[in-house]
Amino acid sequence: MNKAAFFDIDGTLYREGLITEVFKKLVKYEIIPPERWYKEVKPEYEKWDKRQGNYDNYLLKMADIYIEAIKGLHRYQVEFIAKNVITQKGDRVYTYTRDRIKWHKENGYKIITVSGSPVELVREMSLKYGFDDYKGAVYTLKNDIYTGEVIPMWDSESKKNAIYELTQKYDIDLKESYAYGDTAGDFSMFKMVENPICVNPTKEILKKVMEDKEIRNKIKIIVERKDVIYNLTPECINDI
């Protein structure tokens, strides 16, 4: 059997959300009207920035607008934007996660990303960092035109199903495998592997981890700030 390392991207490898970068491009190219940022997205961003709101709400608001914006676009338009985003921003990653990718490669692991970002972006990041496979949110196409429908990959249930599929595909032993994530959507990955690692976690995922005795006993909590990496234990977490 094979061993694997499953990586979330947004907030785990990449230092923000890839959807944020592609959203900015769509505004720049006048596919999304600028007022949608100011009236709908910016308020959610400001709540999160002031630590009064939820980061996931900010990302999901952009995802909702993204679905509407790409409806009717050709596949090549979105792929072009995705390639530009990763070319320009793809190096903006956490040192810890980038080094772990390298370590897993050197030690014979399959490295796979399971991300809630659009699959076009996930594909480009996977190529850049040498992942063996990837799963992302699929915005459906008909005759190479986006329909306005999406098959999500940002929720815990979708990620669980993806891990099951990948486990069968690559004959993976989950007891020898790792998962890296930062939000509640990654909880199912943590439950499924023997080595869960919470990277710069949100309050929501920390709460879920701390309430689950099985995960709490094996979780590693990593916080990277500036050029320092902190390796914490659940006992260090006092206020959630």
Side-chain angles (χ1 to χ4, degrees):
M1 296 184 78
N2 293 306
K3 50 189 180 181
F6 301 98
F7 289 84
D8 172 55
I9 289 181
D10 301 310
T12 303
L13 173 57
Y14 189 69
R15 298 209 312 259
E16 287 187 34
L18 286 175
I19 190 95
T20 305
E21 303 300 339
V22 77
F23 193 94
K24 292 175 183 176
K25 291 287 187 189
L26 291 171
V27 172
K28 179 181 178 181
Y29 297 144
E30 299 182 345
I31 296 170
I32 294 176
E35 57 266 24
R36 298 210 70 178
W37 163 262
Y38 291 108
K39 293 181 179 179
E40 299 178 54
V41 178
K42 189 177 180 182
E44 293 294 337
Y45 171 78
E46 289 177 341
K47 287 179 187 176
W48 170 74
D49 192 45
K50 296 173 182 176
R51 300 302 186 260
Q52 297 170 349
N54 188 300
Y55 183 66
D56 284 346
N57 290 344
Y58 161 54
L59 293 182
L60 289 172
K61 174 57 70 175
M62 281 190 290
D64 288 343
I65 298 172
Y66 179 83
I67 293 170
E68 297 176 37
I70 67 169
K71 184 177 180 179
L73 294 184
H74 195 278
R75 173 171 60 89
Y76 291 123
Q77 291 174 278
V78 174
E79 289 179 349
F80 173 78
I81 292 171
K83 287 179 181 178
N84 279 349
V85 165
I86 302 309
T87 297
Q88 295 170 12
K89 301 288 186 175
D91 291 324
R92 196 166 183 266
V93 297
Y94 286 112
T95 300
Y96 173 80
T97 322
R98 183 185 60 213
D99 289 349
R100 293 301 292 174
I101 290 172
K102 181 181 178 183
W103 183 87
H104 283 295
K105 285 182 181 180
E106 291 172 347
N107 286 276
Y109 287 77
K110 294 284 185 184
I111 58 166
I112 301 169
T113 180
V114 183
S115 169
S117 275
V119 71
E120 294 83 2
L121 288 161
V122 176
R123 182 187 302 119
E124 295 302 319
M125 281 294 275
S126 297
L127 290 171
K128 181 176 180 64
Y129 288 97
F131 284 96
D132 294 296
D133 208 339
Y134 59 88
K135 292 285 185 179
V138 176
Y139 294 79
T140 59
L141 294 157
K142 185 175 181 180
N143 299 322
D144 282 339
I145 301 298
Y146 288 94
T147 65
E149 298 178 351
V150 60
I151 303 169
M153 190 54 69
W154 50 74
D155 60 288
S156 196
E157 185 67 21
S158 296
K159 290 197 173 190
K160 180 177 74 173
N161 293 336
I163 298 294
Y164 277 132
E165 181 182 333
L166 291 160
T167 298
Q168 295 298 314
K169 182 177 180 179
Y170 292 106
D171 190 26
I172 293 169
D173 182 357
L174 293 176
K175 290 190 176 298
E176 295 292 328
S177 297
Y178 287 71
Y180 299 80
D182 69 317
T183 68
D186 302 312
F187 186 71
S188 60
M189 297 202 301
F190 291 166
K191 289 280 287 185
M192 297 172 78
V193 302
E194 188 63 26
N195 303 286
I197 300 181
C198 219
V199 181
N200 297 315
T202 62
K203 185 174 183 179
E204 185 180 7
I205 186 60
L206 268 184
K207 188 173 187 295
K208 291 175 75 70
V209 163
M210 299 294 278
E211 290 173 349
D212 189 297
K213 186 177 179 180
E214 179 187 358
I215 296 180
R216 182 186 171 115
N217 287 338
K218 59 186 181 180
I219 195 80
K220 288 185 178 180
I221 302 167
I222 301 295
V223 176
E224 182 174 330
R225 289 293 178 267
K226 298 181 179 178
D227 57 353
V228 179
I229 297 168
Y230 304 89
N231 192 338
L232 309 178
T233 63
E235 289 72 26
C236 296
I237 310 300
N238 297 316
D239 183 20
I240 300 178

